[in-house]
Amino acid sequence: MIQENEQLRRNEHVNYGAIVPGPSTEDEITPLLDAMDDPKIGISTQTLVSTAGSSTEPRRLWQFLAAISVTLGAFALGNVLSWTSPTEAYFKEKEFSPNDISWIGATMAAGAAIVVIPCGLLMDVLGRKKTMLLLVLPFVAGWVLLVFADDLWMFILGRFITGMMGGAFSLTAPAYTSEIADDKVRGMLGSFFQLMVTFGILFDYILGAAKVDVKVLTSVCAAIPLVFGILFFTMPETPIQLLKFGKEEEARKSLQKFRGPHYDIDEEIRASKDALEKAEQMKLTFLQSFSTKAAKKGLFITVGLMVFQQLSGVNAVIFYAATIFEQAGSSMEANTCTVIVGVMQVVATFISTQIVDRLGRRILLLISDLVMSICCILLGVFFYLDEKEDPVAKDIGWLPLLSVCLFIVVFSLGYGPIPWMMVGELFPPNIKGAASSISCMVNWIIAFLVTKFFSNVKEALNLGPTFWIFAGISALGTIFVFFFVPETKGKSLAQIQRELGDDESEANISDVPEKI
């Protein structure tokens, strides 16, 4: 078997990516590592091996259909993220205090943080498909509660439920996509998730700009999970998950559907089974997972990236974009400005998927954090002048729009997707599950804190100093990347582990090829 796997390593290059909730990279890694990756957080677990003696390329129609249908869950998550922007004026009309509104905005992130670990466990027990279908009715129920909400606690409960379901999709949908995609399109299909999140955000912004009634807007959002359920119901479970359940015949049917009727799947099934057996033998306890120097350093880096990602103020910008422009006195209508921001986010996220493997992670992170810091400084200057009623503020009313757009662009190019990619690249597959769970939970917890206390800090310090705080944190994030974050582009997992300072970890992954 060792000789067999060695021959596969010489002949095959398999794309590998971590895509939770951001776009995946398209790196090369062995079939063994693909199949060993932990299923709980959306890391690829599929073994993809070219069929011996077959000249037939896999047909990808069903792969694309499945990826599009499953990422409607990402679209729904985008709806949850941005819902507070076009509805904030409605809450003010209901005479909710700034503190009340901050609770409505932040509760979804609390729900997402809580759901991470139980959802991961549920995926193991039920599989990806059943888990996602079980999310549909609670998701709709959360939106319906928001439609009929008439007091603060109904809004908070509705946001908590929709946040939980959206957070669950951030785990399950990328896992499903990565397991059904073949090596040549895994990076592309993996990028659908983050793109659909930005489309979901833009969708809410457009409805807000069109002055759609809040209850109608919320009802439309409630329909998205239903559409997902109807479309996704026709899709099969992933082949790798069926193999884990011991259902080889069903796994063959699933894989055949995703590869086309004339594609020889025997080698792929065989290699997947072998790799799953080896993955089972390498299971570790939670404490054992982080006993090595490389694992501890990798966790320090990934958690640090998640903290700086959220403390950059991005969720404050997304949740309160309309308010920012309104207070800036922009000549454009506030909701129109947010639509522009949404379009920029979609375009920049798409560009990021095309350049991250060419320019590298480190340089994009450095540029992203540095420019975000500058943008926050400029926003702080404008609002400081505006709060002092300085006439100069009226002459630079265009500055907030430019700064926010540039902020969103560089965030989407770097600090948006790359921290999630780094989780997939800094850890061996046998501990990636636990590491990704921790990183994901930290991300949502910080998102909750920033969203909840943004209004409080703004009230206490005014907007100018608040954005200067974000600027200072982004500057620290730039220093953090410079001194602690390694470049992983074009390096094998063994090389990365060696750079993190652990020869012992390297020994456990000696089968990794030279490039990933």
Side-chain angles (χ1 to χ4, degrees):
M1 185 60 65
I2 294 176
Q3 292 177 344
E4 233 172 39
N5 285 337
E6 180 63 25
Q7 186 62 42
L8 289 175
R9 285 193 297 275
R10 292 172 182 168
N11 294 338
E12 307 298 336
H13 294 284
V14 183
N15 292 327
Y16 165 88
I19 43 176
V20 188
S24 68
T25 61
E26 190 171 349
D27 298 326
E28 296 170 314
I29 197 167
T30 59
L32 173 60
L33 286 179
D34 269 337
M36 286 168 52
D37 289 352
D38 194 288
K40 295 180 182 178
I41 20 277
I43 308 300
S44 169
T45 56
Q46 179 191 14
T47 300
L48 297 169
V49 184
S50 299
T51 54
S54 174
S55 60
T56 305
E57 280 286 312
R59 294 184 180 179
R60 301 186 174 98
L61 174 62
W62 279 100
Q63 293 182 48
F64 277 87
L65 291 176
I68 292 171
S69 67
V70 78
T71 51
L72 280 175
F75 189 96
L77 172 59
N79 295 154
V80 177
L81 286 169
S82 57
W83 183 78
T84 53
S85 182
T87 59
E88 190 174 3
Y90 170 76
F91 296 137
K92 289 179 178 178
E93 290 176 3
K94 294 180 71 69
E95 298 183 351
F96 286 170
S97 70
N99 185 59
D100 293 339
I101 296 173
S102 71
W103 275 112
I104 294 172
T107 306
M108 67 80 46
I114 289 173
V115 82
V116 171
I117 294 178
C119 183
L121 296 174
L122 193 62
M123 287 171 62
D124 271 351
V125 175
L126 298 181
R128 285 91 168 98
K129 180 179 178 179
K130 288 183 180 178
T131 300
M132 281 188 280
L133 290 177
L134 284 176
L135 300 176
V136 172
L137 291 182
F139 213 155
V140 174
W143 283 118
V144 170
L145 187 59
L146 290 172
V147 171
F148 294 101
D150 57 8
D151 59 42
L152 176 63
W153 289 107
M154 289 182 69
F155 281 111
I156 288 177
L157 181 58
R159 287 285 288 169
F160 183 80
I161 295 172
T162 54
M164 287 183 66
M165 299 305 104
F169 270 112
S170 74
L171 304 181
T172 52
Y176 184 92
T177 302
S178 65
E179 290 181 15
I180 58 96
D182 70 67
D183 60 318
K184 291 186 178 179
V185 296
R186 185 181 296 135
M188 181 187 300
L189 297 188
S191 70
F192 283 8
F193 187 86
Q194 183 66 15
L195 280 174
M196 289 294 272
V197 169
T198 60
F199 273 117
I201 292 172
L202 177 59
F203 182 77
D204 279 0
Y205 286 171
I206 291 174
L207 292 184
K211 303 297 184 183
V212 173
D213 180 77
V214 169
K215 293 187 181 297
V216 174
L217 184 154
T218 309
S219 299
V220 172
C221 291
I224 302 299
L226 286 175
V227 175
F228 157 80
I230 294 170
L231 294 179
F232 188 62
F233 185 79
T234 62
M235 301 299 164
E237 179 59 274
T238 70
I240 197 70
Q241 191 65 32
L242 291 169
L243 285 175
K244 287 182 178 181
F245 290 154
K247 301 178 179 180
E248 183 172 342
E249 189 58 34
E250 291 183 37
R252 286 180 172 275
K253 290 179 181 179
S254 174
L255 186 60
Q256 200 74 71
K257 186 167 187 175
F258 288 124
R259 299 295 182 269
H262 304 297
Y263 188 80
D264 187 351
I265 62 171
D266 288 341
E267 286 294 323
E268 188 169 331
I269 291 290
R270 180 199 59 75
S272 295
K273 290 171 63 178
D274 290 343
L276 285 172
E277 291 176 5
K278 294 184 179 181
E280 185 68 22
Q281 296 171 3
M282 294 183 65
K283 278 189 173 179
L284 300 174
T285 67
F286 182 83
L287 292 178
Q288 288 173 333
S289 298
F290 299 99
S291 61
T292 66
K293 180 179 178 182
K296 293 174 183 176
K297 189 172 181 180
L299 187 62
F300 169 72
I301 292 170
T302 54
V303 168
L305 288 174
M306 294 302 182
V307 170
F308 284 115
Q309 181 196 68
Q310 291 300 329
L311 291 181
S312 67
V314 62
N315 278 334
V317 172
I318 291 176
F319 287 173
Y320 301 106
T323 302
I324 290 173
F325 289 120
E326 181 181 352
Q327 290 193 235
S330 172
S331 57
M332 289 186 182
E333 202 271 334
N335 284 320
T336 301
C337 295
T338 62
V339 170
I340 294 174
V341 169
V343 171
M344 298 293 287
Q345 190 175 20
V346 170
V347 173
T349 301
F350 175 77
I351 293 174
S352 177
T353 66
Q354 306 301 308
I355 66 174
V356 68
D357 284 326
R358 300 177 184 179
L359 297 182
R361 290 79 164 125
R362 218 172 107 89
I363 186 65
L364 287 176
L365 285 171
L366 288 169
I367 293 173
S368 178
D369 230 3
L370 181 60
V371 176
M372 284 193 298
S373 180
I374 294 172
C375 289
C376 285
I377 290 173
L378 294 177
L379 283 169
V381 168
F382 172 82
F383 284 114
Y384 178 80
L385 294 174
D386 185 61
E387 288 154 2
K388 295 294 184 181
E389 298 184 353
D390 192 307
V392 175
K394 295 182 180 180
D395 297 330
I396 55 174
W398 48 268
L399 187 61
L401 177 61
L402 176 63
S403 299
V404 170
C405 284
L406 186 57
F407 181 100
I408 291 295
V409 167
V410 295
F411 177 85
S412 300
L413 287 175
Y415 248 93
I418 291 178
W420 299 104
M421 295 180 187
M422 299 295 286
V423 173
E425 295 176 331
L426 293 181
F427 300 99
N430 56 334
I431 69 169
K432 196 172 297 176
S436 297
S437 292
I438 295 171
S439 300
C440 186
M441 187 164 57
V442 167
N443 186 281
W444 283 115
I445 290 173
I446 300 299
F448 166 77
L449 294 175
V450 171
T451 309
K452 171 63 187 77
F453 294 109
F454 172 75
S455 294
N456 300 83
V457 175
K458 181 183 70 172
E459 291 297 319
L461 302 178
N462 293 326
L463 271 175
T466 300
F467 277 106
W468 287 336
I469 291 174
F470 288 138
I473 293 172
S474 290
L476 289 176
T478 307
I479 297 171
F480 175 83
V481 172
F482 184 83
F483 284 104
F484 296 108
V485 178
E487 179 56 72
T488 58
K489 179 179 74 74
K491 294 179 181 178
S492 71
L493 186 52
Q495 288 175 313
I496 294 171
Q497 294 297 296
R498 186 166 57 246
E499 288 187 12
L500 292 176
D502 201 331
D503 294 332
E504 180 182 350
S505 291
E506 182 184 350
N508 292 330
I509 53 171
S510 57
D511 288 337
V512 184
E514 276 307 304
K515 300 273 187 177
I516 65 171

